[in-house]
Amino acid sequence: RLAGPAAPPEAAREAAPESPVAEPGLLSAAMLARAVAAMDAPAVSVALDAALAAHGVLWTWERLVLPVFAAISRRQWETGAGIDIEHLFSNRLQAALVRFSAHAPAPVHPRPVLLAAAEEEQHTLAIQALAAALAGLAVETRVLGARTPYSALADAMRRVGPAAVFVWSQTPATGEPAPLGGLPGLRPACRVIAGGPGWGEGMPTEVVRVTTFRDAISAVMTTLR
């Protein structure tokens, strides 16, 4: 999946691949989860920086971030505790993604990609990670952040002329798909991509729905070819 926290144990297990054995110089997901549980922020930052530098955002997301969030989710569902460590891990991950993006290659595609959370969606970690992954692929992005009104997203589309727009919904309360069909048509064409588990039924036919981080990257890159 694109995001890990706030899922029941069954969904958390399905969301994350098995934890890999640690490579030399890198922490395994289990080791990183223990550092997170101990609230060892420096160790978490060092581990995330090392993984991003060695393997990039996609590998780090699939092999470390999702398993750690799955462990946090299990702890929350089993004990009712763990919001503090979830917030610490999210904070350290966001900071690591910013550091990674600062060293990204110069963009080579003439049209940027817009990334936004749905109108009342407050979770933005997935779009921040997607922005960093695209930066590593020399794709320029504009991140509009949490709770982006669809009217503001439409205005940004007209101003920027993006190649693609990615809209994130993590919770069903924010995932009404109908407004996506009302976003403006552009020339050259712009692909609208909906990501996250929050989207309901009735997705407009012209909108591409993705459910994994890997598929989100692929949908954007296909548009840019």
Side-chain angles (χ1 to χ4, degrees):
R1 295 195 330 169
L2 280 156
E10 296 79 6
R13 282 192 292 270
E14 294 172 1
E18 292 183 4
S19 176
V21 176
E23 297 184 21
L26 295 179
L27 295 187
S28 68
M31 295 162 66
L32 179 57
R34 286 195 290 273
V36 172
M39 301 196 77
D40 188 345
V44 173
S45 292
V46 168
L48 290 171
D49 286 341
L52 289 167
H55 293 293
V57 178
L58 178 60
W59 186 96
T60 302
W61 186 265
E62 291 183 337
R63 307 303 294 180
L64 293 182
V65 172
L66 286 185
V68 171
F69 272 134
I72 292 171
S73 292
R74 285 193 295 271
R75 176 172 178 161
Q76 290 175 354
W77 279 82
E78 291 168 1
T79 69
I83 297 297
D84 50 347
I85 62 174
E86 177 188 330
H87 285 190
L88 180 138
F89 184 50
S90 296
N91 175 269
R92 292 298 83 206
L93 177 58
Q94 291 173 39
L97 291 169
V98 169
R99 290 191 293 272
F100 175 85
S101 298
H103 301 287
V108 298
H109 300 281
R111 299 170 66 198
V113 175
L114 284 179
L115 308 175
E119 194 158 76
E120 295 300 328
E121 181 58 67
Q122 299 187 63
H123 297 87
T124 63
L125 188 57
I127 58 177
Q128 292 166 357
L130 182 57
L134 293 174
L137 296 171
V139 176
E140 185 177 5
T141 63
R142 302 281 195 279
V143 179
L144 303 184
R147 301 181 68 179
T148 302
Y150 289 114
S151 59
L153 178 57
D155 288 344
M157 291 172 66
R158 296 186 186 100
R159 287 196 191 96
V160 174
V165 173
F166 179 86
V167 186
W168 171 258
S169 170
Q170 185 156 322
T171 59
T174 69
E176 169 53 51
L180 298 180
L183 293 174
L186 302 178
R187 292 292 181 270
C190 171
R191 171 178 285 182
V192 178
I193 304 165
W199 295 109
E201 299 295 327
M203 187 66 67
T205 56
E206 67 273 19
V207 176
V208 177
R209 174 79 185 274
V210 297
T211 57
T212 70
F213 194 69
R214 186 178 296 268
D215 287 345
I217 296 171
S218 178
V220 171
M221 297 307 295
T222 299
T223 300
L224 296 173
R225 293 194 182 103

